[in-house]
Amino acid sequence: MLDLSVVIPVYNEEENLAPLWAELRPVLEGLGLDFEVVFVDDGSQDRSAEIVRRLREGDTRVRLVSLKANAGETAATDAGFKAARGRMVVTMDADLQNDPADIPRLLARLDQWDAVCGWRANRAAGDSLVRRLSSRLGNGVRNWVSDETIEDSGCTFRAFRRECVRGLTLYRGFHRFIPTLLRLRGYRVVELPVGHRPRRFGRSKYGVMNRAFVTIVDVLVVRWMKSRRLGYEVTEDLGGEPRSE
Ligand code: UDP
Ligand code: MG
């Protein structure tokens, strides 16, 4: 089994992919682990897939998983989780906003935790005031309604033990709730400050509006899921021995 799969959802990120791979490769090689980088092309209309194919020609540790049509960041992440062969999985954006140099710190804490989620402690470096404020409001409402304490659920720079993302059932937009869904299933989730950089190429796929309204419904669903959790413990199972066939 591979040690590490890095899963990267890609939607129209053609200019970011070669520089990202150039930054990632030395960091991953420095870990001394067997790794693969799974670019999940989420129906890009630009040359993203072609560029990943070319990267793979130079290095077979690069993989390309292509979705038939644009299905959203959560779908691309889900496809990456299913394709991942590593015992550890890192997710990150394709747009160079996450700093690959943070990966060793994220992975290091997987010895004690099932999932390590980045939070962008210094967002001023990478995002406008409007985005920062809307994100702060979003996190505040999300935490309040779903009784959570996640600092930055919009940050998808995360490391996981693979078993915890394996049976995860995700819905559109739910990449933001992965830390909460994992806690719901009893996994230990910790947050760690990570760097954040401005987007140099391409455009953000989200605006203030398409985030805010949908997530109000989502957060109510998550609240409901938490309140209906089956929190039982089996204390006895008399007669449940394996049967010899
Ligand atoms: N993304 C995707 N499918 C989509 C929208 C976004 O795969 O429909 C990818 C995108 O290419 C990027 C990541 O998801 O790698 C996060 O998107 P973006 O950087 O636009 O979000 P932001 O950082 O602005 O929240
Ligand atoms: Mg981004």
Side-chain angles (χ1 to χ4, degrees):
M1 194 196 270
L2 280 173
D3 296 311
L4 172 66
S5 302
V6 180
V7 168
I8 308 179
V10 175
Y11 182 51
N12 294 339
E13 304 282 4
E14 58 184 2
E15 292 153 296
N16 290 310
L17 301 174
L20 175 59
W21 169 241
E23 269 196 63
L24 257 179
R25 193 168 55 94
V27 172
L28 298 179
E29 284 175 349
L31 292 167
L33 300 173
D34 278 336
F35 69 86
E36 62 181 0
V37 176
V38 185
F39 289 94
V40 184
D41 178 37
D42 183 18
S44 296
Q45 289 97 24
D46 69 357
R47 295 172 55 245
S48 293
E50 200 183 315
I51 288 163
V52 177
R53 273 185 218 107
R54 196 167 337 124
L55 294 176
R56 181 173 169 85
E57 278 166 23
D59 195 321
T60 53
R61 294 173 296 187
V62 173
R63 287 178 62 191
L64 171 65
V65 171
S66 295
L67 306 190
K68 189 168 180 185
N70 181 239
E73 184 178 346
T74 306
T77 304
D78 190 70
F81 283 159
K82 293 194 165 119
R85 296 176 296 184
R87 63 186 167 81
M88 298 180 285
V89 178
V90 164
T91 55
M92 70 189 297
D93 287 6
D95 58 5
L96 300 169
Q97 290 201 266
N98 302 137
D99 185 349
D102 288 323
I103 291 176
R105 287 172 44 242
L106 291 172
L107 290 177
R109 304 210 65 185
L110 284 183
D111 60 345
Q112 305 274 343
W113 300 86
D114 298 308
V116 185
C117 301
W119 67 281
R120 298 161 290 184
N122 179 18
R123 281 193 72 172
D127 282 317
S128 71
L129 184 64
V130 174
R131 288 193 64 138
R132 271 153 37 219
L133 287 178
S134 75
S135 162
R136 181 174 300 182
L137 186 69
N139 281 310
V141 171
R142 250 193 297 272
N143 282 332
W144 174 53
V145 177
S146 60
D147 189 25
E148 251 300 355
T149 55
I150 303 289
E151 295 279 352
D152 186 4
S153 57
C155 180
T156 45
F157 195 13
R158 302 169 174 147
F160 308 95
R161 298 185 190 199
R162 186 176 66 167
E163 61 267 24
C164 66
V165 294
R166 269 296 153 107
L168 207 53
T169 306
L170 296 175
Y171 298 88
R172 247 185 301 145
F174 265 45
H175 57 275
R176 299 185 185 92
F177 295 104
I178 289 175
T180 299
L181 295 177
L182 291 178
R183 280 185 178 160
L184 249 168
R185 301 175 74 204
Y187 289 111
R188 294 157 308 166
V189 178
V190 71
E191 289 182 282
L192 199 70
V194 292
H196 186 56
R197 311 183 293 191
R199 204 184 229 284
R200 277 155 59 204
F201 310 111
R203 297 169 44 142
S204 168
K205 310 304 177 293
Y206 307 104
V208 173
M209 297 318 250
N210 66 2
R211 254 182 248 260
F213 291 114
V214 181
T215 53
I216 288 174
V217 178
D218 292 350
V219 80
L220 289 170
V221 169
V222 171
R223 181 195 169 108
W224 176 87
M225 287 172 77
K226 281 183 86 161
S227 73
R228 293 292 194 277
R229 201 173 76 89
L230 300 177
Y232 63 84
E233 270 179 70
V234 174
T235 56
E236 194 170 22
D237 179 3
L238 258 182
E241 303 84 16
R243 281 158 50 127
S244 53
E245 294 303 320

